[in-house]
Amino acid sequence: MLTLTCPYCGIAAEETELQPGGEAHLKRFGPGSTDAEFEAYLFARKNPKGVHFERWRHAYGCGKWFMAARDTATLQVFGTYSAQTPHPTPEIVAAIQAHRPDWQPDWLAEPTTQTPADTSAESLNA
Amino acid sequence: MAEALARISQVQDWGMIQIRADLSRAGDAIAEAAGVALPGQGRITTDGSRTLGWMSPDELLLVLPRAETAEALAALQDALATEHALVLDVSDMRAVFRIQGAKALDVLMKLCPADLAAMPQDGLRRTRAAQVACGIWRETDGYVLIGFRSVTDYLRGILTGAAVPGTQLDPR
Amino acid sequence: MTETGPFRLPRGGRLIDRAYQLPFRFDGRQMRGVAGDTLASALLANGQLMMGRSFKYHRPRGPIASGAEEPNALLGLGQGGRFEPNQRATTTPLVGGMVTASQNAWPSLNADIGAINNWLYRFFPAGFYYKTFMHPRPFWKHVFEPIIRRSAGLGKAPTEADPDKYEQAYAHVDVVVVGGGIAGLTAARDAARDGKSVWLVEQTPHFGGRTPTDHADGQARVDALLAELQGMANVTLRRSTQATGLYDHGYLLVRESLADHDPNAGIPRQRLWRIRAGHVVVATGALERPLSFAGNDVPGVILASAVRDYINDYGVAPGRRIVVVTNNDDAYRTALVALDAGLDVAAVIDARSTAEGALPAAVRARGVRVLTGSAIAGVKGGHGVEAVKLCAHSGSGQVTETIDADCVAMSGGWSPVVHLWSHCGGKLNWSDAQSMFAPDPNRPPTGADGKAMASCVGAAAGDLLVPELTGAQAESATMPVWVMPAHAPRKMKFKMWLDFQNDVKVSDVELAAQEGYHSVEHTKRYTTLGMATDQGKVSNINGLAVLSNALNQPIPATGTTTFRPPYTPLTLGTIAGEARGEIFQPLRKTPMHGWHEAQGAFFEPVGHWRRPYCYPKGSESHGDAVAREIRAVRASVGTLDASTLGKIIVKGPDAGRYLDMMYTGMMSSLPIGKCRYGLICSENGFLIDDGVAARLSEDTWLVHTTTGGAERMHGHFEDWLQCEWWDWKVWTANVTEQWAQVAVVGPKARVLLERLGGKIDLSPEALPFMGWIEGEIAGIPARVYRISFSGELSFEVAVPANRGLELWEKLHEAGRDLNVTPYGTEAMHVMRAEKGFIMIGDETDGTVIPQDLGMSWAISKKKADYIGKRAQERSFMTDPGRWKLVGLESLDGRVLPDGVYAVDQGANANGQRKVQGRVTSTYMSPTLDRPIAMGLVRQGPERMGEVLEFPVAGQESYKARIVDPVFYDKEGSRANG
């Protein structure tokens, strides 16, 4: 049974205090997306043996969703971090590579600025 | 008959106000309106009568004598009128128990997966007690546990069950 | 003093107190033991060597061990609700007045009819069941299965509820040392000296392990360590505490016995500790292995270490004339202990060609015959050992000599107890030098930090003697002996037991190998080796060595089966902990719950809530009560406790556009003071919740969810807010329990509410349908929503939860002459169905989209996006052939059964009748006095008037006509009062 440290309240919570939320960093595809994009968004999951990024909610705690980077085979936890980031942070990447030197990010190197999903109010209130 | 591990009693006369706001912006205004200093992450501050607890990075809980609730609610709403903030009276949705006595920690250790022995003196820990959510902080001679109103009977049942005489956690 | 039985030795027994005699019963016979006995030692002291029968052949069985590894001595313990099957006599402390019974024997332990299987063993080889009961197929269900079921299972299940209490507790400890032998005690002291918090848990009631028995000055060494540990404030010592499993991230489960010895102490019988350990030190010692010789299962053939335990610890002689058979030096200790106790040691049979160490020399010096290069060819005796036939170990079993004996002390070497190490991924190495699997310190189980979360010390690490702690001298090497004699013929192997409980023999494992079972995991399941309640603690290594030999491969190539927790069985009671009876689950109660109870309400579970289903009066049936409640509501006025409805506050400058994303409909355009019904879908497009939203102010909405959906929907809201639109300025709060809510429903609803008085205007002008208003009713601050789920004039009154009961009681007081009637969830369900309103969970099942339910009106066409919109555009969702909501009118006046399917023409690929729809809600309508139903039917709305057939097994098919789902008040005028 895992323990993960909630980055929002600093509590090392055990699995019974947490709610799992599946793969992290999915990019939402809404109306206007192709069938292939939408299918991939809804159904395609990486399910790797090894380094994986997941969503967890500190449900019996501060209620915040956070991200965890861990190895699905050894259950080693490389770190937990904010949910408000489109990709794992550079600190997390460094922590993973410290233990898994051969591991490389599979997203394009780009600054992990705190940019929320691209949904403008105008398009919604049309 | 040996004594129970702790005295379990229900508190009926507390009011509670939930505050959600950007604490880095509105913290000072909240502290002033609440009359208690802003607590740090995972902590409470108290003046003996009012207690302000850190519930999450953007949520506080003000616990105070029930009679002062309406006034404090208005004061907080005033203080945060220009902020994006939520101030709600949640006095009726909670059940509050005191767990007091030398073995109070034993009672909670039977129910909560949290390391309460390691909790700071002014800590506030949100966790679960058996199957329901709760929040716990220290008080003279024991602990305060808050949970949801609908499970009051359940909370009383698990707390008194865990406090049965003769069941202290010391090695035997 | 022979009061405690003929086999109690006149002296000795370091764990017993002869001053306290304890009477107990075994199979109805009165016996006596002494304080400190285990059940096994007490039975042995009384000369009761035979304690049970094996599972498959019903062979007579006595104990072969003295601890947790015991496969044979399993008893039924206790009576009534406290009866427990399969209790290990070797680890059960004797309690005065205990009632025990042997198992798996009928009519009696000595004359068991099932033992006929024993004479048929040639016909029950490995895989017998798989091979025999395959054909003819129909025989399985009617012939084979009932017979097998009757004879299956070891021990009887208790028939009464367990009267004992159990509890759990959590602990967070830096270092947990498992095993209170000398290695564990030392490891605990060392960790404690480093300032860490340390727990030491020991499965037996005594610290010290084997050291006091096996090593000179052993007790003194143990006592010195204990004294030091007891003086350390950061050390916790727990006896009778069994570590059962090590799981992810240092999660260690430990069972502590609190009152196993005293059921009347009034405290929990056992406690399950759920420990988070920074590090676990595995100091669990080693287990002795049996030797595989013909007749090694006859009662009286006992592990050498157990023989000396019974003598030394309990002052009990397992026999008077003992033969020791071994492949190592350690077993010679047994000969010495037996001699010291005044027992005869007829011979030591050593498979090794030489035995020249200090221990063999000491035994020879006492005048005992030591026969090297020798083996046992067979054991004479049925219910106990009578004599032992000897042969050369290197040969094929020609008998050279027969020795009279009543006990055989056997030792096939030792295996470290690596279970905890292995539970979470620790790896093992095979040591040829020691003939054992030992932990590989370079491949430990790892924790959250990627580092070792456990380490092994002492015998568990493969260091059997721990000379630096015990002072033991080096011993000669153990010789691998997997079959005795080395070239035993096949016939002899039919009598060599590997798994004593499940009756798996050397011949079975060899047969499995011959039949192609090369994987140890497959062989285990085919032969059932190691699958008994002892989980193969003494049998597994011998079994896989035999398998390796049969496959002609080295032992590490075969490997071990998986070590799975628990190490010893856990009671279900400890797993349940406090969760039983009234606190089995958290039952959620509304502020009016006590009133409902007092009125005799029949409750139904809705999530964890208990809601009144109906309020039967006197001997009234539930159906009659529901009908009465509905008629009262439709005729006058009724009240429903709606406090359980989810209530979520959504506030902020972006709350409107946020709710537009969460709901299919438009919430941002809702005027202040108004309510709107809304649907919430998952991103898959499926309808997951519904409810009425009210706009409280410019930036604040209160949304209602279903009773079961409050927490789930609040989580759903927070998920999207925190993880997708985290820059939107919105706060949410789940205030479900802050409010008590009462639906006041029926043509007289307004009349009743107005009678209560208060500062609130409930007139149609001030509070029109789908409006809300705030004020005071009967002096209670209230918010009133004019919404209707019944089709009647309806006000939902929300008041602070603490005043809910007061409002409810006032309504019932004031409305007596109006026949104000409390109604339950079933009346609510029927009334909404009469109106054709859907119910989440009835009309939806996770595959239904709002469009299927004719609810396109609740989906905004103007919005560019909402959760689920894109999914609802997928081709499967827009397929005109989807099943859609219709009403169903029973043709013959019978109420359609819930969930039945409407059949179509033709059959599918599996030869099953095709279906074209199903019933989702079905009731007898008291209002219309006829059955009503709703269902989902392929292209249903286009097929009005068609008749569908619903076959039901054992009944005449139901027939129903497709009709409009609104059965009552189609124009909706009643909601206006």
Side-chain angles (χ1 to χ4, degrees), chain A residues 47-81:
Chain A
N47 194 28
K49 180 180 182 182
V51 176
H52 192 40
F53 303 96
E54 294 171 339
R55 284 154 32 87
W56 289 86
R57 185 179 188 214
H58 193 186
Y60 284 93
C62 68
K64 294 299 180 196
W65 284 93
F66 64 89
M67 308 300 201
R70 68 177 184 107
D71 187 308
T72 57
T74 68
L75 309 188
Q76 179 172 358
V77 178
F78 303 109
T80 53
Y81 55 101

Side-chain angles (χ1 to χ4, degrees), chain C residues 192-351:
Chain C
R193 281 182 179 168
D194 289 347
K196 298 187 166 104
S197 65
V198 176
W199 276 35
L200 186 148
V201 298
E202 162 57 38
Q203 62 182 351
T204 73
H206 309 280
F207 292 108
R210 300 212 58 81
T211 298
T213 297
D214 288 356
H215 300 290
D217 306 329
Q219 190 65 56
R221 289 167 188 267
V222 166
D223 290 345
L225 279 165
L226 268 177
E228 188 177 354
L229 286 165
Q230 278 157 353
M232 297 171 119
N234 52 338
V235 174
T236 302
L237 302 171
R238 289 189 193 270
R239 299 171 301 150
S240 302
T241 300
Q242 171 84 66
T244 70
L246 176 59
Y247 305 80
D248 308 334
H249 291 188
Y251 183 56
L252 182 72
L253 282 190
V254 163
R255 188 261 300 131
E256 181 178 20
S257 290
L258 302 178
D260 272 333
H261 60 287
D262 183 4
N264 299 315
I267 61 171
R269 181 185 157 208
Q270 297 172 344
R271 174 186 295 147
L272 187 72
W273 283 98
R274 305 169 68 166
I275 303 173
R276 282 291 172 178
H279 193 80
V280 175
V281 177
V282 180
T284 45
L287 295 178
E288 196 166 32
R289 296 190 294 256
L291 281 166
S292 299
F293 53 82
N296 65 348
D297 75 320
V298 174
V301 179
I302 301 175
L303 291 169
S305 57
V307 169
R308 61 182 188 266
D309 286 345
Y310 285 117
I311 296 170
N312 215 32
D313 293 351
Y314 305 104
V316 171
R320 297 286 182 189
R321 189 172 156 82
I322 297 169
V323 166
V324 177
V325 57
T326 183
N327 62 349
N328 60 72
D329 280 6
D330 180 66
Y332 286 82
R333 288 193 169 90
T334 302
L336 294 171
V337 166
L339 292 168
D340 288 346
L343 303 171
D344 286 342
V345 178
V348 177
I349 315 298
D350 196 328

